Amino acid sequence: MSGGGNEGGCLWRPCQRRLHKGPLLSCPHRTSDPPTPPPAGKTASPGTLLLSLRVLVPQEKEFEHDIPEDLGPLQFVKLRKHHSLVDNAWFCDHITVQGPVAFQEATFPCYRWVQADSVLCLPEGTARLAGNNALDVFQKHREKELKERRQIYCWATWKEGLPLTIAAGCEDDLPANMRFHEEKRLDFEGTLKAGALEMVLKHVYTLLSSWNCFEDFDHIFWGQKNTLAEKVRQRWQDDELFGYQFLNGTNPMLLRRCTSLPSRLVLPSGMEELRTQLEKELQNSSLFEADFILLDGIPANVIRGEKQYLAAPLVMLKMDTSGKLLPMVIQIQPPSPSSPTPPLFLPSDPPLAWLLAKSWVRNSDFQLHQLQYHLLNTHLLAEVIAVATMRCLPGLHPVFKLLIPHIRYTMEINTRARTQLLPDGGIFDKAVSTGGGGHVHLLRRALAQLTYCSLCPPNNLADRGLLGTPGALYACDALRLWEITARYVEGIIHLFYRGDDVVRGDPELQAWCREITEVGLCQAQNRGFPISFQSQNQLCHFLTMCVFTCTAQHGAINQGQLDWYAWVPNAPCTMRMPPPTTKEDVTVATVMGSLPDVRQACLQMVVTWHLGRRQPDMVPLGHHKEKYFSDPKAKSVLNQFQTDLENLEREITARNEQLDLPYEYLKPSLIENSITI
């Protein structure tokens, strides 16, 4: 800053490492203590202010320091934390430098940990594309930054044939800037312990109780539940609620409108009336299907020496004139040349036989929801985006600044999932029918079907014939959020890419695209993923998919778990008896013998509460506090994004007031800004 003295300020947050037992303190205040001068031998290079700040007490601090010299135009600020006896890392939010002229301010975003005697070099926050001048200081900085990042953020193969992940055997192996902050870590680990205690108490409580009728699930239906979960407990046997979940439950991704009768639906003689009904609904465009064929042939788990079972059902549903989606017929297993024609279950069948058939469908939906639509299509995809971003886009890049708030905590939550939920002997192996290795087979199949278009609601909903479907609240809200997110992305991108030629000529952006498609997603170009960006529109569409996946889509898939899975019979995690082949022999004992036992049911309740609850440090979509962009125009685009989200919030709230079952998973205030759980 030219023309006199400068005033500098920076906001720091310390980290208490695990050897500290106290909580993270947050005591914002200003201090008049000046920064200590640079150590002997350390001098500031031209245009760079080198400060070494020494603070001993763990708390939030905001420093101000007057600089009497004329520093000239500031390009970089370097940060170094002195090594101390107890060597805590410090988290620096940002540094601002106020020049002598009004409104003359330079901002240096950091949002990183500063550790023992390491030096962080922070460029001024204006987003810049890569240049061709090798002597340019910013170009040198971004090349050095990427070289260092590629050594820190490395790819690893979790399972052959699945997307690559961050190279980390456990959360402690992760780069410091990808770790949970202390509040998040304490809450995550504390709730795991609380959940384990609740599971033990419920199991002990049921030792003196029976477990042979549906009401016995009430013995464990206490503790973590909510109003909607209670409604599910009361109405889980109703056909209307069964159909509703395909549209607006925790997995609204499988249902599609029929354009013809499925080839696997073999109607035996004597079912001419059913065929007539199906064809009538087909002609009226009111026939829908949910086909779980992806599960066919997946090996089932063995839990505590007892074989579990899987099926691959097909459900045919109709939408009546009031907008209710009702099941018409269920085929639990697909036809096989080596087996008799599988029976078809109808609403007119004996009630327990029909209920058991629906339970098989709900169990199958649990498997696809958790593995295909939740783990693969949000968590693992978001991790690929996150690792590629850290490896290919420097902090000065506008796409980095756009995406970085949406990958917060994703690497750690995924690493914890691989070490706690999905490893050999983990939670999946203990309670889920696809555990014991079947989950990996299913993920490989799902990846082979994962297309770029399937991740974009306008394409996905059109392909499934759900555009304009009455009562399809997920579809309605997802489209609105996609449009709002697309406007936000376009607003940012058009500030920095003035034409398609600029997009094509950005080497860092093109490398990022290839890293995602060819490396992280294992050669996904044959499934529609781009290997280069040729236009602004193509870039904006891809970035909209990235932001939507990491925010709204994960919210829609994750938040309903406690609502729909807490009452275990509504979505059993495993089935302990093979699918029925006759209808007349199904009894209450048959259904109870098929549903999860006490131990499995308790584990399902605890885990779905832990994963589906609202996080205490939750950041709502678009409301991150980090200010990566210093450009006023970029800030204006973000402000408009927030306004658009607030308007949608009011619309959804008004609509939900008229509904018996409000759909809230895509209310912007409830959508987290990144995948953190």
Side-chain angles (χ1 to χ4, degrees), residues 194-421:
L197 176 60
E198 179 179 313
M199 188 172 70
V200 170
L201 292 175
K202 288 180 176 180
H203 188 57
V204 170
Y205 178 75
T206 58
L207 290 176
L208 302 178
S209 306
S210 62
W211 194 259
N212 51 33
C213 66
F214 304 139
E215 290 74 19
D216 290 339
F217 280 96
D218 286 327
H219 298 323
I220 63 171
F221 193 66
W222 51 266
Q224 307 303 334
K225 59 182 180 179
N226 57 27
T227 302
L228 181 50
E230 178 61 34
K231 288 184 178 180
V232 172
R233 184 187 72 83
Q234 297 169 3
R235 297 164 51 183
W236 70 284
Q237 299 186 45
D238 295 350
D239 285 358
E240 182 181 345
L241 191 72
F242 176 83
Y244 175 90
Q245 293 178 72
F246 287 106
L247 284 172
N248 304 314
T250 198
N251 181 23
M253 304 307 298
L254 193 66
L255 185 74
R256 62 174 54 244
R257 192 185 303 267
C258 290
T259 56
S260 62
L261 292 182
S263 59
R264 64 170 281 187
L265 184 64
V266 179
L267 297 175
S269 60
M271 286 198 169
E272 289 76 16
E273 183 179 351
L274 175 61
R275 177 179 293 278
T276 300
Q277 292 174 350
L278 290 170
E279 290 176 345
K280 178 183 176 182
E281 299 297 337
L282 182 64
Q283 291 173 359
N284 294 334
S285 297
S286 54
L287 185 65
F288 295 80
E289 66 177 274
D291 192 346
F292 297 86
I293 194 64
L294 202 69
L295 286 163
D296 188 32
I298 297 293
N301 199 2
V302 176
I303 301 176
R304 297 165 65 87
E306 295 185 5
K307 181 175 174 54
Q308 310 296 296
Y309 296 89
L310 285 167
L314 169 69
V315 192
M316 305 301 296
L317 307 102
K318 67 177 180 180
M319 181 163 286
D320 68 13
T321 54
S322 65
K324 295 177 182 177
L325 191 66
L326 301 172
M328 298 180 68
V329 58
I330 294 174
Q331 181 193 66
I332 298 181
Q333 292 282 40
S336 169
S338 59
S339 303
T341 301
L344 299 180
F345 291 81
L346 307 172
S348 57
D349 287 338
L352 288 174
W354 178 237
L355 179 63
L356 182 57
K358 290 191 294 183
S359 295
W360 273 101
V361 172
R362 298 297 305 139
N363 166 261
S364 300
D365 197 55
F366 182 99
Q367 314 305 321
L368 292 193
H369 165 250
Q370 294 290 16
L371 293 169
Q372 181 178 17
Y373 297 109
H374 189 186
L375 176 60
L376 176 63
N377 290 15
T378 63
H379 278 262
L380 295 183
L381 177 60
E383 185 172 0
V384 168
I385 294 167
V387 176
T389 298
M390 299 308 294
R391 287 176 57 83
C392 298
L393 299 178
L396 282 168
H397 201 287
V399 172
F400 177 89
K401 292 175 180 287
L402 173 70
L403 290 179
I404 188 65
H406 303 299
I407 61 176
R408 170 179 178 255
Y409 293 163
T410 299
M411 293 187 198
E412 174 148 356
I413 194 61
N414 283 8
T415 300
R416 286 179 179 267
R418 287 188 287 272
T419 57
Q420 298 172 16
L421 190 65

Side-chain angles (χ1 to χ4, degrees), residues 294-295 297-302 310 367 371 428-429 432-445:
L294 202 69
L295 286 163
I298 297 293
N301 199 2
V302 176
L310 285 167
Q367 314 305 321
L371 293 169
F428 248 69
D429 284 2
V432 182
S433 50
T434 47
H439 60 300
V440 179
H441 290 280
L442 182 57
L443 285 167
R444 290 189 182 117
R445 286 188 185 180

Side-chain angles (χ1 to χ4, degrees), residues 99-151:
V101 179
F103 308 111
Q104 195 176 38
E105 182 178 274
T107 302
F108 300 82
C110 184
Y111 307 109
R112 282 179 282 170
W113 294 105
V114 185
Q115 299 179 334
D117 282 330
S118 62
V119 177
L120 286 184
C121 185
L122 307 179
E124 191 275 322
T126 301
R128 295 173 173 84
L129 298 177
N132 297 321
N133 184 0
L135 299 178
D136 178 75
V137 290
F138 290 110
Q139 185 64 25
K140 289 181 178 179
H141 171 79
R142 64 201 303 147
E143 291 172 358
K144 180 175 182 292
E145 180 183 21
L146 287 181
K147 182 179 179 181
E148 293 173 350
R149 289 234 217 103
R150 290 189 186 106
Q151 295 173 344

Side-chain angles (χ1 to χ4, degrees), residues 543-608:
L543 289 172
T544 301
M545 180 277 292
C546 292
V547 175
F548 184 87
T549 296
C550 296
T551 57
Q553 184 61 20
H554 181 257
I557 295 297
N558 180 72
Q559 292 190 71
Q561 293 183 91
L562 179 59
D563 298 336
W564 299 102
Y565 290 175
W567 180 250
V568 174
N570 183 63
C573 57
T574 191
M575 298 294 272
R576 297 182 293 129
M577 293 178 65
T581 56
T582 61
K583 306 176 183 182
E584 292 72 20
D585 299 334
V586 177
T587 64
V588 171
T590 309
V591 181
M592 286 297 293
S594 299
L595 295 176
D597 62 21
V598 174
R599 183 187 300 270
Q600 295 158 351
C602 288
L603 192 56
Q604 174 175 325
M605 286 193 68
V606 166
V607 172
T608 53

Side-chain angles (χ1 to χ4, degrees), residues 475-488:
C476 176
D477 294 352
L479 282 175
R480 289 295 310 280
L481 277 162
W482 176 273
E483 293 165 359
I484 290 170
T485 303
R487 284 199 297 272
Y488 168 54

